[in-house]
Amino acid sequence: MITRDGDKGKMLTRRAMMLAGGELFLSSVLLGRMYYLQVLESDRYKTLAEENRISTRLLAPPRGLIFDRFGVAMAQNNQNFRVLVISEQTEGNLNATLEALNKILPLTESEIQRIRKDVRRSRDFTPVTIRENLTWEQMAAIQLNAPDLPGIIIDEGLSRFYPFNEAAAHVVGYVGAVSEEEIASGNPLLKLPGFRVGKSGIELEYNTALCGKEGAQRVEVNAVGRVIREIERDEGVPGAVLPLTIDMRLQKVVYEKMKKESGAAVLLDIYTGEVLALVSTPSFDPNKFNRGLSNKEWETISTNKKNPLLNKALGGLYSPGSTFKMIVALAALEAGVIRPDTKIFCGGHIMMGSHRFHCWKPDGHGNVDLKEALMHSCDIYFYEVARRTGIDKIAAMAKRFGFGMPTGINLPGERSGLMPTRRWKEVILGEQWLQGDTYNAGIGQGYVLTTPIQLAVMAAALANDGYKVKPTILVPKNRDTTVCLGEDLNISKTYLQLMREGMFNVVNAPKGTAKTARVNVNGKLIAGKTGTTQVKRISMKEREEGLRRQDELPWEERNHALFVAFGPTDNPRYALSVVIEHGGGGATTAAPIARAIMEAVLTLDPASESPGTLKKNTPMEGI
Amino acid sequence: MITSDFSPFRLRDPNLTLKERFLNLSWCYIFLIFLVAASGFVVLYAAANGNWEPWASRQFYRFWMGCAVLFVVAMIDLRFWLKYAYIFYIGAVALLFFVEYFGHDAMGAQRWLNLGFIRIQPSELMKIALILALSRYFHGSSLQEMMSMSAIVIPSFMVLIPVALVLKQPDLGTAVLMGAGSLTLFFLVGVQMWKFAALGVAGLISIPIAWRFLHDYQKERVFTFLDPERDPLGKGYHILQSKITLGSGGVFGKGFLQGTQSRLNFLPEKHTDFIFTVLAEEFGLIGSVSLLLLYLALIFYGYVIAFRSTSFFGRLLALGLTTNLFLYVFINIAMVMGLLPVVGVPLPMISYGGTVMLTLMFSFGLIECVNVNRDVQIGRRGAYDD
């Protein structure tokens, strides 16, 4: 027995040793694994732990402000009060809190449903927006009742505000919610809820600079995403402040004069190309776009046949009509087909083969020279001059003045217009150029299409002795207003002087066509040229029955009314173009508006004021 | 005969007085137990972000309750435990049956028995009862008997019945612990190696069959173990975060109460099965190795006590319980380090949990009991039959 028990004991001892060895081996496996995880792989796991712990949140910098040339805010950021609810702080009763809030700030049933849905979807410590854009009174009422509203908080944000509403809408443009395509561009800021981007005007053109550079907040979060504390914060770079060349005083005058019409007006500094006012009517309230339009509002705007969303100053195409006659005259003088004193007889109409071309004055103007032809805007004279010059030379001169191509203004939505040539007609329309086409081009009709800003640039070039300026709407860095920034068109100063005299007579001569535009501000006068373009062809029958008065026609059939002007005539500084769609006649509709605008600009004379009056505006690098 | 120079002749007399028993306790062993328990309080304090509530304080009271259990168990005559080993075994099996039908549902598994003032987990008691019963059985067998085929049949059933019941609960962790612990006992008493090899082969063959009986969540755990990153936010979240927590501790750790993973709750079950990672994150490799060495010291001391004992029952009991402790430690740490599937085995003395603490202290009490009665001779036939 004892021996056998002894064997049993020896076996136990031996096996226990083996077991201990095995346990030691397994323990060394554990030690090896600890070494692997905590030494060899430690850096990787440290990174992963940091990724767990740290969450980076983007901070949207405030959008850059937009000022006019004298520092008047055209786009600003207003404080926006929002009311939010944090469900975990509602003492377990969201409904009671909402009911209490409802007594102070009436909520609609659909709002309550949306809030409930949002609360269900988000973590209970995440604030859910109840309503934005609270009035001061609503905000104060909620704060006063705060003890009865557990979980309700008031939050302050910034929202874009355009103090001039419709008046500068096409210049500043507006901001709106980010679209799907814009998100695809990859800018992380665009994914922030409630972030706004420029949709038109300056807001669109300089969107990147206005947005600024995103800031970031690094916070420590726990496993369910609750923020425990802030680790660091980078506020980013606020959006650039943009000083515009616009003079809001003039902009308002122009808008007030234009708002009842459908059309556009552009007021330029003839030496710098700075846009002092740029208006397109009818306009829209950009604040409504920022807030978000209701379906009904959108419908009203988008179906309006006067097209409020189109910036007609840059994107509206119009036949220049008689405002084009200076171009034809310059082309003819340069070609040598006429001299300033060449007289041409106007009998009211001219025959071209079997076709009859009429002057606007059925009785005709008799024998007229160039200055008289401009003053009376005689069509027969220019038919003949155009015939002698030929379309190629007219088109060449027009192109020197910038017609048929964008002016390059730093605003979106500009169109080129059209300056027809033989080649253009053959290639695009597949038709032969006809003599009649040249006649029509001679009085700025037919295929010729221009934008109001091109007309303003033309008027500026006539006024500044032949320099084509590039219009700009942003005050450049190191602005020098003493140098003409235009491109020399190499046109005889004598001829240009002749044009200016002709335009002076249009306004100031007793028989001028645009006496309605006459201005006298302390002896400062203006010069100009009217234009009236047919929208509908006048048939022979109508002509025989006697022309109907424009205001008896339906709006869509009335003539477009145009006027280009510059002033003061002794030492020009400002150029203007006005286009009134279906306004009836240049002299009757466009000229009085131009008169009011020129009167204002000559009175205020913004260009004479030092450009250094810009306050707190620091243009950003690279603009 | 194994005799010790340090043991006076008097100690061979089984009828020791209470004072003699008390003086015979291994205070070194108790000191090691206190060290492990103390580190447990510290880690639970850290797991609660520097609060005694809710875990550390309760664990502290339970530890003192456990100390009382330890001393009572150690003071009882070793022959008492031999005599009533089968009774405990039958009682524990009965309790397991009982919870199967009247138990409380916790985490989708029926594991609790509510006695009104305390909720106990019979499966924890079962581990000790099984080791006691097997020790008694093998104590009574000769080496020849143990090496014969027929003698393994009865102890095999003694193992299979509770393992099957625990698996049915289902508690894979406990089943693995009981199965592995019992196999070690079979190994210790001299069952031939080829039988283990045969069991291994049979096991491999039966894996596909056993697979069909596993619960879905148990299958998921195996999948997750094989590839934790296949679903980092779902099933693999535990093990991935566990490894991040461990690894990010580095050599020196992030510092006491500075563990970001535990403080910010990235770690699920951080106070129970994954408590080791809290320690490893805040005290680094130094902390985790120190704790492992502390456990190994406790286990080593278990071996010392076993070899000091002159009775086969005492030796086997001490070895079995020590192995049980080792398995707890190994499976838990291997599990949190991604070496084994997550099977729900706590880290002894440190994971928060009452029943585990009490049964561990019970088993330490039995080991101390073996130490107290190290020179007591116990006959083959049992307790008082010499």
Side-chain angles (χ1 to χ4, degrees):
Chain A
M1 278 298 261
I2 284 168
T3 15
R4 272 160 66 188
D5 271 4
D7 290 345
K8 201 172 144 187
K10 276 179 193 160
M11 173 62 89
L12 181 64
T13 307
R14 198 163 67 236
R15 287 284 171 95
M17 285 305 183
M18 288 166 73
L19 182 66
E23 289 177 358
L24 216 53
F25 169 74
L26 289 176
S27 303
S28 62
V29 170
L30 292 185
L31 282 170
R33 181 71 171 176
M34 282 172 191
Y35 181 74
Y36 172 78
L37 289 176
Q38 296 193 279
V39 178
L40 298 182
E41 289 284 286
S42 177
D43 286 342
R44 184 166 84 89
Y45 288 118
K46 274 177 184 156
T47 313
L48 287 171
E50 286 296 289
E51 278 171 18
N52 269 343
R53 180 173 81 97
I54 310 280
S55 166
T56 303
R57 289 159 195 233
L58 279 180
L59 297 174
R63 195 171 174 86
L65 306 182
I66 302 172
F67 292 102
D68 86 340
R69 67 192 291 126
F70 296 115
V72 176
M74 295 174 72
Q76 61 197 49
N77 299 320
N78 276 8
Q79 274 180 336
N80 167 20
F81 294 103
R82 294 187 296 171
V83 58
L84 308 116
V85 63
I86 302 174
S87 69
E88 72 169 2
Q89 290 172 11
T90 56
E91 293 163 7
N93 198 338
L94 177 68
N95 289 344
T97 297
L98 288 181
E99 220 161 272
L101 180 67
N102 195 28
K103 286 177 191 139
I104 303 157
L105 180 75
L107 302 167
T108 65
E109 192 52 44
S110 68
E111 268 181 315
I112 291 171
Q113 276 173 9
R114 178 192 58 78
I115 294 160
R116 289 220 181 94
K117 201 173 77 188
D118 288 353
V119 166
R120 271 199 306 277
R121 277 193 194 156
S122 42
R123 300 262 186 197
D124 58 3
F125 54 81
T126 315
V128 165
T129 306
I130 294 178
R131 192 182 285 170
E132 295 195 337
N133 296 312
L134 294 186
T135 63
W136 182 265
E137 289 75 22
Q138 288 170 324
M139 200 263 316
I142 291 168
Q143 298 239 306
L144 203 66
N145 290 284
D148 305 329
L149 299 166
I152 295 287
I153 55 164
I154 299 270
D155 185 34
E156 230 175 83
L158 292 176
S159 71
R160 200 63 159 169
F161 178 66
Y162 305 101
F164 295 102
N165 303 323
E166 287 88 353
H170 289 102
V171 175
V172 287
Y174 59 91
V175 292
V178 184
S179 71
E180 294 290 325
E181 304 89 75
E182 284 161 343
I183 285 178
S185 77
N187 182 349
L189 270 178
L190 301 180
K191 286 185 187 147
L192 286 176
F195 194 77
R196 294 282 192 272
V197 289
K199 297 289 183 179
S200 81
I202 287 288
E203 294 275 31
L204 172 62
E205 186 79 14
Y206 292 101
N207 184 50
T208 315
L210 286 166
C211 281
K213 199 176 164 296
E214 72 272 13
Q217 179 195 26
R218 274 163 40 90
V219 291
E220 186 173 76
V221 292
N222 69 4
V224 288
R226 182 200 292 273
V227 174
I228 306 297
R229 66 194 173 95
E230 186 176 276
I231 295 168
E232 62 172 295
R233 194 182 179 94
D234 163 21
E235 291 290 353
V237 181
V241 170
L242 299 184
L244 301 189
T245 60
I246 298 287
D247 182 341
M248 249 347 274
R249 300 170 300 178
L250 289 169
Q251 178 79 17
K252 275 192 288 183
V253 169
V254 178
Y255 178 70
E256 284 304 315
K257 296 292 162 194
M258 297 281 296
K259 67 180 178 188
K260 289 197 189 75
E261 309 287 349
S262 171
V266 179
L267 183 63
L268 291 182
D269 180 318
I270 61 168
Y271 294 118
T272 60
E274 288 177 2
V275 178
L276 293 163
L278 187 148
V279 165
S280 174
T281 54
S283 189
F284 57 87
D285 184 356
N287 293 311
K288 286 185 182 169
F289 281 79
N290 181 26
R291 196 192 57 211
L293 294 174
S294 68
N295 282 341
K296 202 179 160 195
E297 284 172 317
W298 173 248
E299 193 124 320
T300 315
I301 287 179
S302 60
T303 59
N304 187 337
K305 61 187 173 185
K306 293 183 180 175
N307 207 348
L309 291 180
L310 174 70
N311 185 352
K312 297 184 179 102
L314 312 176
L317 295 179
Y318 308 95
S319 294
S322 301
T323 60
F324 194 64
K325 283 173 179 166
M326 281 79 79
I327 302 293
V328 179
L330 284 172
L333 286 167
E334 216 168 64
V337 295
I338 54 162
R339 280 178 291 122
D341 54 357
T342 308
K343 286 194 186 263
I344 291 167
F345 178 74
C346 167
H349 63 87
I350 191 174
M351 292 304 291
M352 211 279 299
S354 61
H355 202 90
R356 227 160 114 118
F357 283 83
H358 292 270
C359 187
W360 65 269
K361 192 176 177 192
D363 305 337
H365 293 99
N367 265 321
V368 286
D369 65 8
L370 177 54
K371 268 167 78 174
E372 285 167 328
L374 277 173
M375 183 175 78
H376 297 299
S377 200
C378 174
D379 292 336
I380 303 298
Y381 181 91
F382 283 95
Y383 288 142
E384 174 59 20
V385 169
R387 188 190 63 77
R388 292 187 196 174
T389 316
I391 187 63
D392 296 337
K393 283 180 178 150
I394 295 172
M397 180 57 75
K399 282 187 177 159
R400 275 156 83 184
F401 276 88
F403 291 107
M405 64 193 82
T407 63
I409 188 176
N410 37 5
L411 272 180
E414 188 179 13
R415 298 180 67 180
S416 326
L418 178 66
M419 187 57 230
T421 57
R422 285 175 206 280
R423 204 179 131 67
W424 168 83
K425 197 179 177 192
E426 277 161 22
V427 172
I428 305 294
L429 300 184
E431 286 170 25
Q432 195 79 39
W433 184 266
L434 302 173
Q435 188 82 61
D437 295 330
T438 308
Y439 273 40
N440 277 332
I443 60 158
Q445 300 233 28
Y447 298 116
V448 187
L449 289 174
T450 60
T451 61
I453 189 135
Q454 286 171 340
L455 292 172
V457 169
M458 177 197 75
L462 293 171
N464 66 19
D465 235 8
Y467 293 88
K468 187 182 83 179
V469 291
K470 181 180 169 184
T472 177
I473 199 155
L474 195 68
V475 174
K477 267 174 72 175
N478 312 319
R479 172 162 69 159
D480 184 355
T481 51
T482 59
V483 185
C484 180
L485 300 171
E487 167 198 341
D488 192 351
L489 297 175
N490 290 314
I491 296 168
S492 158
K493 309 293 179 207
T494 325
Y495 298 158
L496 286 165
Q497 178 62 29
L498 202 62
M499 292 305 116
R500 286 197 290 273
E501 283 168 21
M503 287 169 77
F504 179 88
N505 289 342
V506 168
V507 179
N508 300 300
K511 287 179 179 173
T513 49
K515 293 189 291 275
T516 44
R518 207 170 287 173
V519 170
N520 187 342
V521 179
N522 305 326
K524 289 187 230 174
L525 308 178
I526 70 158
K529 180 75 195 80
T530 54
T532 305
T533 62
Q534 281 170 262
V535 176
K536 187 170 167 279
R537 200 181 166 78
I538 302 169
S539 67
M540 220 40 205
K541 190 161 157 272
E542 283 170 322
R543 207 173 281 279
E544 276 159 18
E545 284 169 358
L547 292 173
R548 281 198 292 166
R549 283 175 41 156
Q550 284 285 316
D551 52 13
E552 291 168 356
L553 291 169
W555 183 77
E556 296 92 326
E557 293 181 11
R558 292 182 205 164
N559 294 334
H560 288 331
L562 295 90
F563 197 80
V564 295
F566 64 87
T569 46
D570 51 352
N571 184 17
R573 186 76 211 222
Y574 308 105
L576 170 73
S577 72
V578 175
V579 176
I580 306 296
E581 287 184 342
H582 310 292
T588 53
T589 322
I593 289 173
R595 185 189 67 82
I597 296 169
M598 289 309 287
E599 204 165 54
V601 72
L602 292 183
T603 310
L604 297 169
D605 197 14
S608 69
E609 289 189 43
S610 154
T613 49
L614 296 169
K615 294 171 199 97
K616 62 191 168 176
N617 303 2
T618 344
M620 205 174 118
E621 289 288 330
I623 300 169
Chain B
M1 254 8 271
I2 299 163
T3 53
S4 167
D5 292 339
F6 300 104
S7 54
F9 180 77
R10 173 77 182 91
L11 294 179
R12 292 185 196 167
D13 184 342
N15 300 311
L16 298 167
T17 66
L18 207 57
K19 191 187 170 193
E20 282 167 330
R21 288 175 195 277
F22 189 75
L23 290 173
N24 233 4
L25 283 169
S26 167
W27 291 100
C28 188
Y29 195 63
I30 288 170
F31 175 68
L32 285 172
I33 292 167
F34 270 63
L35 271 186
V36 177
S39 37
F41 306 143
V42 171
V43 180
L44 283 175
Y45 176 80
N49 299 338
N51 285 308
W52 287 110
E53 300 298 332
W55 302 314
S57 59
R58 282 200 246 170
Q59 188 85 339
F60 186 71
Y61 298 129
R62 281 170 186 162
F63 174 69
W64 289 111
M65 261 168 79
C67 283
V69 170
L70 184 149
F71 281 101
V72 169
V73 170
M75 290 301 108
I76 293 171
D77 195 322
L78 186 60
R79 289 170 300 179
F80 170 84
W81 296 115
L82 179 73
K83 189 176 177 184
Y84 292 103
Y86 290 152
I87 305 293
F88 280 123
Y89 174 81
I90 290 163
V93 171
L95 277 177
L96 271 181
F97 263 112
F98 188 76
V99 285
E100 189 63 33
Y101 299 103
F102 303 100
H104 260 268
D105 215 323
M107 309 271 288
Q110 292 206 323
R111 294 173 184 179
W112 301 96
L113 187 67
N114 199 341
L115 297 182
F117 64 98
I118 189 172
R119 291 196 307 175
I120 58 163
Q121 256 177 305
S123 58
E124 290 298 328
L125 286 177
M126 190 68 236
K127 283 178 206 158
I128 294 173
L130 182 60
I131 293 168
L132 268 172
L134 286 174
S135 298
R136 170 164 183 178
Y137 181 84
F138 291 127
H139 176 79
S141 320
S142 70
L143 187 58
Q144 278 74 18
E145 280 172 328
M146 285 184 279
M147 289 172 78
S148 70
M149 203 53 145
S150 58
I152 314 178
V153 176
I154 295 169
S156 297
F157 272 104
M158 285 165 69
V159 177
L160 286 176
I161 291 166
V163 166
L165 281 170
V166 169
L167 267 180
K168 196 165 181 303
Q169 280 186 345
D171 183 352
L172 194 58
T174 306
V176 167
L177 276 175
M178 283 202 292
S182 310
L183 278 176
T184 325
L185 282 179
F186 280 85
F187 173 78
L188 282 171
V189 299
V191 173
Q192 298 94 319
M193 291 300 216
W194 67 263
K195 287 180 183 161
F196 289 101
L199 185 69
V201 172
L204 278 179
I205 294 167
S206 63
I207 280 175
I209 301 158
W211 183 251
R212 296 175 54 197
F213 288 97
L214 283 182
H215 282 254
D216 280 344
Y217 84 94
Q218 289 168 329
K219 289 182 187 175
E220 276 301 330
R221 281 179 177 183
V222 178
F223 282 137
T224 304
F225 165 68
L226 294 174
D227 181 13
E229 264 138 75
R230 80 185 181 129
D231 183 11
L233 291 177
K235 303 289 189 298
Y237 183 79
H238 276 54
I239 193 63
L240 188 66
Q241 292 300 332
S242 171
K243 280 158 78 176
I244 291 173
T245 312
L246 269 160
S248 63
V251 177
F252 299 103
K254 295 176 186 168
F256 186 50
L257 303 182
Q258 303 296 311
T260 58
Q261 287 280 106
S262 68
R263 192 161 49 83
L264 301 171
N265 290 325
F266 285 101
L267 209 61
E269 310 275 329
K270 61 177 175 184
H271 61 296
T272 57
D273 289 357
F274 288 86
I275 190 81
F276 183 74
T277 59
V278 175
L279 172 107
E281 185 185 25
E282 298 195 348
F283 299 102
L285 184 71
I286 291 170
S288 47
V289 170
S290 301
L291 183 69
L292 184 62
L293 291 179
L294 198 55
Y295 277 124
L296 288 181
L298 201 57
I299 289 158
F300 174 75
Y301 219 86
Y303 274 87
V304 171
I305 289 172
F307 283 118
R308 265 192 208 156
S309 173
T310 49
S311 65
F312 192 83
F313 174 72
R315 283 185 168 196
L316 202 53
L317 187 61
L319 284 175
L321 294 170
T322 300
T323 301
N324 184 47
L325 175 67
F326 173 80
L327 286 171
Y328 264 115
V329 172
F330 176 76
I331 293 175
N332 178 274
I333 297 181
M335 177 179 97
V336 299
M337 292 199 297
L339 288 173
L340 286 177
V342 179
V343 284
V345 171
L347 188 64
M349 311 294 290
I350 296 190
S351 285
Y352 177 78
T355 317
V356 179
M357 170 66 94
L358 288 177
T359 47
L360 276 166
M361 293 303 272
F362 193 105
S363 69
F364 291 141
L366 283 175
I367 292 173
E368 280 288 4
C369 184
V370 171
N371 192 56
V372 167
N373 297 283
R374 58 185 177 264
D375 292 320
V376 174
Q377 312 259 325
I378 303 172
R380 277 268 302 279
R381 290 290 150 222
Y384 302 102
D385 63 350
D386 52 335

